[in-house]
Amino acid sequence: MHPSRSKWRQAYAAIVEQIREGELAAGDRVPTVHELMQTFGMSNTVAQKVHRALREAGLVETEPGTGSYVLEGATERLQAAQGDDSDR
């Protein structure tokens, strides 16, 4: 991770990479807000921002009280987006 990159972007990138590489598959629970706080040394608000960004990207869905889970097709969305980036 690039040290000048904000903590929320580091955490977001780490989870996206885990999904892209298949370490987190459809239906797998992503790290909780509390786990992100501990792992990346971030506040609750910043950890919630990571989850919000993952939802907005269409990669996870959140089940209140149980956690956030990788959506079916998330890997394919990331691969398609990566392909779009390489076309430029």
Side-chain angles (χ1 to χ4, degrees), residues 38-86:
Q38 290 183 322
T39 302
F40 292 92
M42 59 178 57
S43 70
N44 182 289
T45 303
V46 174
Q48 288 178 15
K49 182 176 181 176
V50 173
H51 277 249
R52 186 171 46 255
L54 291 166
R55 285 192 302 274
E56 289 173 358
L59 301 176
V60 305
E61 67 179 345
T62 300
E63 296 287 331
T66 65
S68 294
Y69 301 88
V70 178
L71 285 169
E72 192 71 42
T75 303
E76 292 78 8
R77 274 189 286 288
L78 288 170
Q79 290 171 344
Q82 187 175 14
D84 292 345
D85 290 344
S86 67

Side-chain angles (χ1 to χ4, degrees), residues 7 10-11 14-15 18 31-42 47:
K7 288 182 182 182
Q10 289 178 33
I15 294 171
Q18 289 177 331
T32 65
V33 167
H34 184 72
E35 290 167 342
L36 291 173
M37 290 168 59
Q38 290 183 322
T39 302
F40 292 92
M42 59 178 57

